Amino acid sequence: MKRRRIGISYKITSGYVILIVCIAISTILLNTQITKLQEERNGIIQYDSGMRTLSNTLERQIIKMESNLNRFLITDNQTYLQNYYEELATWESNYAELTNLVQDYSGNEKLLEPIYSGILNWIDTVGEPLNDAILNNNDEQVAILIDGTQSSNAIMSLQEGFSTFRNSETAAIQDKITELNNKNTNLTFILFFSLFVLAIITIVIFTIISRKISSSIKDVTSAIEDINTNEGHAYTQLVVRTNDEVQDLVQVANELLQTMNARNWFQKNLADIVTAYQGVDTLYELGDNLLNSLTTSTNSVYGAFYIQDPQNKSKFKKVSAFAEGSSNVGREEIISTHGFVGQSIKEKRILTYGTADDHLHYLETAFGNIPISHGMIVPVIFGQEVIAVLELAALKPYSGQQLALIEEIIIHLGVTINSIQGRMEVIRLLNESQAMSEELQVQSEELQTQSEELQMQTEELTTINERLEERTRDAEQKTRDLQKTQTDLKQIALELQQSSNYKSEFLANISHELRTPLNSILILSEMLAENKAQSLSDDDLEFAKVIHKSGNDLLLLINDILDLSKVEAGKLDLWYSETDLYEVPTHIQNLFAPIANQKGLTLSANVDSALETVFHTDAKRFYQIINNLLSNALKFTESGSVTVNVTIPELTPSMEKLSQTWIKLSVTDTGIGIPQDKQSIVFESFQQADGATVRKYGGTGLGLSICREVSKLLGGWLTLQSEVGVGSTFTLYLPSLSEGNPMNVSMIEEMVAEKEMVQIEVPASAIHHFQNKRIIIADDDYRNIYALRHALEQKGAHVIEATNGVECLNILQSGEHVDAVLMDIMMPEMDGYETITHIREVLQLHDLPIIALTAKAMKQDRERAFEVGASDYISKPLNLEQLFSLLTVWLTSEANSING
């Protein structure tokens, strides 16, 4: 009988339902008990209140009856007498109500009987006689009843009876309350016991459910872990213990395990079979190894392997058989167009066959012959041609997995067969080659005879050779002439080198001579700028500051030229000493950290701990290279970081020949980067990546040239890796040379002209043309602006300053009146060409005079300035007379056009 499927959700829901039902039953029973206890407690409270109210009312009635009679006698007011009669008429009903209440609740109505008899006794002996005496005006009798103690004693006796009754009922009520408290305690115990039992039941139910679920899940988990840890082994099927979703999970896991087992079997047998026929040299050995391993994997009992006849490709010859007995297994050869085998070869696919009579063939064993009824024919294909056929036979039908294994094997088998046939063909050709070699030996002997015949011909050629030797002598004379010419060229090269050295020496000497007066200029300008005597005006102070700053810039340029000149002239002295590499980070932080902090950059320096502490080099030149590289990195990096790393490089044989100790110092920044086509020129003197870089960041272009030449003098070299927008890495390779550089490095570099400086003199003519004229000076060099501004202001013009093309456009767009513009061409952000184009095409200021100023006095620059819309063109250094003449012409023409 099939088990009813109970899902996990149903089991969990059933557990919750049972739990809820138990809670509901417990709640109902507890609520009933609590309600009953509440009703009993309310009954006690009601009885206590009613009993006390009725007993107090009855007691007050008796007291009021006595009081009303006494008040009537005192006041003779009939109201009191009427009140007496009313109390007398109603006390029995209150007594009856009290009696019924006590009888219904406690059954202690007998305690009221003395009270009842005491009331009747007081009425009979005191109340009614006193009432009769009052009605009969019997004053003597009234006096006797009032003055006696009979009434007071009776009233006191009644009060004691009431007190006794109430105390007795109070005690009974207290006993009832104690009983209720006991019931409440029992109810609380029952409540907690029920909750405990309910918790136990819940835990048991859910433990049973969770164990049934978790046990199967653990089995599945263990099976999956076994797949990871025991890859390649057979996996045991899981046992299903439940009839729910976990059963589905276990069944899926079993299917997975079955698939993994099949896959492992497939891969293992495939590897075994392929390994069996690898490395064989003959087709016979291939057939034996293949049939032995393949029949084992497919449970085959017979097998035959056929190879295509190279001479007749329609025939296949048997090269190997498995379990061959007294009768041969398969035919000795088969025809590709005959029978079932031919059909398999034609269709190029595996064909299987079988018979139900079990007499296809017989397997010969020691116990007799076993009938075979199933087989297959397997064509082996290489390229588009069947080159071999494999036939197998078995006692049982072949499974799909076994067929898949055979299909996978024959994919690689064709290549193996072709490879073996190729090797066999090579061996055959080698044998033929040896035979031919023997034949060639015979032919060689024949050629020897022919050689003797040629000897005669050689003698005839000797005469011809003598004539050729004469021509050779002529050629040798020409060669000597060429060598003389080469010697002359070398002499010229030496003279050129000497001339270059003279040039370098001249630059070094002239730089040195320039530094002496320049120092005086710097000192005097600094003293003027301090203005200790307070005798200079603000303009004079500004003049002094400009002179001092320009002198400093010139001094730096002269120092760089002097260093470069010394290197080229071979007169730079090197002093090798011990240098502590671990002081490099401290030097870098002390010197460059303030600059990095000012620009918001991250500066870090690291030294490989594997480096030797002592390194032999010229410390001064070593730190000069570091300072130049770091100055460039910080200058061209706007954001990000600059990192210095000192490590040990991988040594080449040539490096080891010079020194066994090298360092690799790399300076990496996240700056603007250098284009690939500009990286070769940045190491040349007075060169930078492009003109915009010079205009934006300044510099002379000598720092990297000096670094390269000094690194060569120290026995090392300098490399560069850079990407535009990402950053640059300059790497210095330097050897430790305790005895100095033995390579005697000397480099000669071509140097270009110094940076142009604007020199301006102020003439004293044509002043009236400039009065109150508003002229914009657009130039990123403040010294030029300063000089031109003072020159024009002396003429009476009003100068508006703009440090780049964007500021110039903003001034013109503001609507401010401008009479002329002096436009520098090379400016950052927006150069002069682009600014002039924007003024003419976008702002439509076609009549505004614009004079282009540039230090590049090339013909194409002048033509381009006129193409973009410049009114005129003048090159630097400026001639003020020429400038004023141009301005006079354009300002006059502008005024005439306005007046016209």
Side-chain angles (χ1 to χ4, degrees), residues 161-424:
F162 277 110
S163 297
T164 302
F165 167 72
R166 283 193 289 269
N167 291 335
S168 176
E169 288 303 306
T170 299
I173 289 171
Q174 189 63 39
D175 293 339
K176 194 70 173 177
I177 290 173
T178 302
E179 182 180 355
L180 288 177
N181 289 335
N182 293 334
K183 288 182 178 181
N184 188 32
T185 302
N186 294 335
L187 182 61
T188 301
F189 175 77
I190 293 172
L191 173 62
F192 283 108
F193 180 76
S194 299
L195 292 176
F196 175 76
V197 172
L198 184 60
I200 295 299
I201 294 173
T202 303
I203 292 173
V204 170
I205 292 174
F206 284 99
T207 299
I208 294 173
I209 295 174
S210 63
R211 283 184 177 179
K212 288 184 177 180
I213 296 173
S214 63
S215 61
S216 298
I217 293 177
K218 286 180 180 178
D219 292 341
V220 174
T221 303
S222 298
I224 295 174
E225 290 177 351
D226 187 52
I227 292 174
N228 291 330
T229 56
N230 297 321
E231 185 175 356
H233 298 279
Y235 306 113
T236 306
Q237 295 289 305
L238 304 178
V239 179
V240 182
R241 299 187 179 89
T242 60
N243 189 19
D244 50 22
E245 288 84 353
V246 176
Q247 182 185 28
D248 299 336
L249 176 63
V250 174
Q251 290 176 351
V252 172
N254 283 334
E255 292 176 0
L256 174 62
L257 294 176
Q258 186 176 357
T259 302
M260 292 301 297
N261 285 332
R263 183 180 301 172
N264 290 339
W265 178 90
F266 183 88
Q267 293 177 349
K268 180 180 180 301
N269 284 278
L270 178 62
D272 292 342
I273 294 172
V274 172
T275 303
Y277 65 71
Q278 292 295 324
V280 297
D281 297 325
T282 64
L283 295 174
Y284 299 99
E285 185 180 359
L286 171 65
D288 292 339
N289 293 345
L290 177 64
L291 290 176
N292 289 336
S293 56
L294 192 57
T295 52
T296 302
S297 299
T298 58
N299 297 325
S300 299
V301 294
Y302 273 130
F305 186 53
Y306 296 86
I307 295 294
Q308 186 183 50
D309 188 354
Q311 305 301 327
N312 186 357
K313 294 189 176 183
S314 63
K315 290 184 179 181
F316 289 80
K317 294 182 179 181
K318 184 172 69 173
V319 296
S320 182
F322 179 79
E324 193 169 27
S326 57
S327 60
N328 292 334
V329 176
R331 301 172 183 175
E332 291 301 320
E333 64 178 27
I334 55 178
I335 306 301
S336 61
T337 57
H338 294 175
F340 201 54
V341 175
Q343 187 65 30
S344 175
I345 295 172
K346 180 180 179 181
E347 297 183 10
K348 298 179 181 178
R349 66 183 182 92
I350 299 174
L351 297 179
T352 59
Y353 55 87
T355 176
D357 297 335
D358 294 337
H359 61 271
L360 178 66
H361 200 79
Y362 289 94
L363 174 64
E364 297 180 2
T365 67
F367 299 100
N369 296 332
I370 302 174
I372 300 171
S373 58
H374 299 280
M376 72 168 70
I377 298 173
V378 182
V380 180
I381 302 172
F382 178 76
Q384 299 296 325
E385 183 181 5
V386 177
I387 62 173
V389 176
L390 182 68
E391 185 170 2
L392 300 174
L395 301 176
K396 297 180 179 179
Y398 290 100
S399 64
Q401 190 175 19
Q402 291 172 337
L403 291 174
L405 175 63
I406 293 174
E407 290 176 352
E408 183 67 23
I409 290 171
I410 63 175
I411 293 176
H412 308 284
L413 184 58
V415 177
T416 302
I417 294 173
N418 183 73
S419 176
I420 294 174
Q421 289 177 335
R423 287 199 298 270
M424 294 175 65

Side-chain angles (χ1 to χ4, degrees), residues 574-644:
L574 299 178
W575 299 92
Y576 286 85
S577 61
E578 294 183 353
T579 303
D580 189 354
L581 295 176
Y582 293 94
E583 292 180 357
V584 172
T586 304
H587 169 80
I588 292 173
Q589 293 295 334
N590 292 338
L591 193 60
F592 295 97
I595 302 175
N597 294 335
Q598 183 180 3
K599 298 188 68 174
L601 302 177
T602 301
L603 177 63
S604 62
N606 307 297
V607 178
D608 192 345
S609 58
L611 283 171
E612 296 182 2
T613 305
V614 178
F615 187 80
H616 293 85
T617 189
D618 188 327
K620 177 182 177 181
R621 300 304 173 184
F622 174 67
Y623 281 107
Q624 181 183 9
I625 296 173
I626 295 177
N627 294 343
N628 280 340
L629 294 179
L630 277 172
S631 297
N632 281 351
L634 292 172
K635 179 167 66 174
F636 294 103
T637 301
E638 299 293 341
S639 63
S641 64
V642 176
T643 304
V644 180

